[in-house]
Amino acid sequence: MRLFVALYPPAGALDDIFAEVGRLRVGRAAAEDVRIRLVDRESAHITLAFLGDVDDDRLPEVTAALARAAAPAAPVPTASPPPAPEAPGVPPAPAPPVGPLRLRLAGGGEFGAGRHSVLWADVHGDVAALHALAGRIRSELHRAGLPYDGRPFRPHLTIARPQGRLDPEDVAQDRAALDRYRGPAWPATEMVLVRSHLGPRPLHHRLARWSL
């Protein structure tokens, strides 16, 4: 099964960012039936860790590792674990934050270009604590011998994939508009383990959640 760990913004934050998406050129093009992929509101999330394919029988190990990472008194390893081949330089688990993280969607940008372009909203607020949480998750997954994507953590919320069907100048204008965007602040009170099902319309099934 294909797994990732995520934060889901509350309804108010999603209302605000999707209202902004509707004002963007990419949003207007999608409303006019241009084949542009907008992210479905129900699946909009901030990825904390991507595990990829995990054997079904290892799910208890995954949930145990994530429970340790989310615990207010999560143990911090006394020594850094040896770096995994797929993720060199994994640091020891950072100390957990106290209380929920205060975050907001603000700013944004573009990954890739042309058919591989992805527009995203940036994350502001308690970003240092968010990085610490992501680091703690990776450390616990590593200690359990579980797979995960070791690329640098870059918190963001994907909003659209223009797929080369929008003029590059329009995409540039959307990037500029996102750069000016400032959404409402909200508390991140839980993290969620999600199973994703690929296809023309990807489906997300929330398997477990932990309070932060």
Side-chain angles (χ1 to χ4, degrees):
M1 52 186 167
R2 195 168 186 263
L3 302 177
F4 65 90
V5 187
L7 298 178
Y8 284 88
L14 292 176
D15 287 345
D16 202 80
I17 186 60
F18 279 98
E20 177 68 13
V21 172
R23 291 187 288 268
L24 298 177
R25 287 161 174 78
V26 69
R28 297 200 300 269
E32 295 169 358
D33 292 329
V34 177
R35 293 180 61 190
I36 287 173
R37 288 179 59 190
L38 299 183
V39 168
D40 183 73
R41 178 192 169 100
E42 295 302 314
S43 63
H45 65 275
I46 299 165
T47 301
L48 294 172
F50 178 72
L51 284 71
D53 290 327
V54 179
D55 290 340
D56 290 12
D57 60 3
R58 301 203 71 185
L59 182 59
E61 297 174 67
V62 174
T63 56
L66 296 179
R68 291 192 299 270
V76 178
T78 56
S80 174
E86 72 278 13
V90 175
V98 178
L101 288 67
R102 295 287 298 179
L103 303 173
R104 69 189 305 174
L105 300 174
E110 179 185 15
F111 295 140
R115 294 181 60 188
H116 304 290
S117 174
V118 175
L119 288 173
W120 49 272
D122 203 356
V123 181
H124 290 194
D126 294 332
V127 176
L130 188 62
H131 276 265
L133 174 60
R136 212 158 58 245
I137 291 169
R138 292 176 182 215
S139 181
E140 292 295 350
L141 292 173
H142 179 84
R143 291 173 67 204
L146 291 160
Y148 60 91
D149 185 345
R151 287 177 293 183
F153 177 56
R154 180 66 169 91
H156 67 280
L157 186 141
T158 297
I159 57 175
R161 294 177 172 84
Q163 298 180 292
R165 297 188 173 97
L166 200 63
D167 187 277
E169 180 57 30
D170 287 333
V171 176
Q173 291 294 325
D174 282 354
R175 287 201 310 268
L178 283 170
D179 194 52
R180 297 188 296 270
Y181 173 74
R182 296 292 181 272
W186 47 277
T189 58
E190 66 177 20
M191 69 181 196
V192 185
L193 175 64
V194 185
R195 180 177 184 178
S196 65
H197 303 267
L198 299 179
R201 186 179 180 184
L203 298 176
H204 292 171
H205 179 209
R206 304 184 192 190
L207 300 179
R209 62 189 69 207
W210 295 267
S211 296
L212 298 175

